[in-house]
Amino acid sequence: MSFQVSVDAYARFMGRFSTPLAATLIEVADAKAGAWWLDVGSGPGMLTEQVLRLAAPGRVVAMDPVESSVAAVRGRLDLPVIVAVAEQLPFADGVFDVAAAQLVVHFMTDPEAGVREMARVIRPDGTVVLNVWDHASDAGPLAAFWRAVRELDPHADNESGRVGVQQGQLRALCETAGLVVDVDTAVSISVVHEGFDEWWEPFTLGVGPAGAYVQGSLDSESRDALRERCRALQPTSRFSTTARAWTVKARRDSAQSGP
């Protein structure tokens, strides 16, 4: 699996979904104007950019473990961006009003530690917001792709076993971190594709588990077979993909002095 890809490759593969999804996470966060935001696992900055555009923040800091992603954000946005992992956030306790992780928890090495760190760095009245695609059902944005993969390769990892992709898992992580969950919901977004080729081509760019599977696990004949199986599962002309993400908003327990 790799996220060492260009901004354009990420935007064409997942950014087409994550940009509209970011607006829903910002709405759920419902942060006051002037709030300090931390974007945990920013990637090339889809959520970061929407926070700047929609949330009227006082300060935004982005971090990601992938150096190329950090460089991409630095090249596009005028804000602090650092290389770091969610499980060891390089910030003092209680610095931020909002710690947000969009489509990140299921890629954390230790999701419990990552969410606990997010809880640590928010202020006593601060907010943690998280979302992850519903990869455990047919409601995720990559459902048709993984359905075709499993028909041809039943033992392929289709992301359905990752932490956070099932209902209730984000709530459990927040509660384990000592947070009080105020919102635990599912949000859906829709993305229009002008045709099959536009939908398929981003899977060949090597982004994330799906891209790694196409590029790293298949020879040209197998790739062609997968493409044609996907084609059979999709409409023949302009169509849309509706994708669901589990979304949670949690806060520090005011009765506690720490997370």
Side-chain angles (χ1 to χ4, degrees), residues 4 8 13 15 23 42 45 54 58 60 76-77 85 87 99 121 134-135 172 177 201 203 218 224 232 236 245 247 258:
Q4 295 273 9
D8 179 66
F13 176 72
S42 65
L54 300 174
V60 181
R76 294 169 54 230
L77 304 172
V85 296
E87 295 85 351
V121 301
D134 178 9
H135 286 310
E201 190 267 345
F203 287 97
L218 303 178
D224 289 346
T236 57
T247 304

Side-chain angles (χ1 to χ4, degrees), residues 146-163:
W146 286 122
R147 189 182 319 138
V149 169
R150 292 302 289 269
E151 288 179 9
L152 299 173
D153 181 4
H155 301 295
D157 176 8
N158 63 354
E159 302 186 64
S160 63
R162 294 179 180 271
V163 175

Side-chain angles (χ1 to χ4, degrees), residues 190-206:
S190 292
V191 173
V192 174
H193 314 284
E194 293 303 323
F196 175 79
D197 289 340
E198 182 192 280
W199 175 87
W200 165 258
E201 190 267 345
F203 287 97
T204 68
L205 301 177

Side-chain angles (χ1 to χ4, degrees), residues 101-173:
Q102 170 159 288
L103 308 178
V104 171
V105 169
H106 56 317
F107 294 123
M108 290 180 182
T109 302
D110 185 342
E112 286 191 10
V115 175
R116 192 178 301 115
E117 278 288 272
M118 294 176 69
R120 179 184 64 78
V121 301
I122 60 170
R123 297 182 173 120
D125 59 346
T127 296
V128 168
V129 283
L130 312 167
N131 63 20
V132 171
W133 294 123
D134 178 9
H135 286 310
S137 75
D138 282 341
L142 311 181
F145 171 83
W146 286 122
R147 189 182 319 138
V149 169
R150 292 302 289 269
E151 288 179 9
L152 299 173
D153 181 4
H155 301 295
D157 176 8
N158 63 354
E159 302 186 64
S160 63
R162 294 179 180 271
V163 175
V165 304
Q166 295 187 35
Q167 186 175 20
Q169 290 180 330
L170 295 179
R171 170 185 283 274
L173 286 171

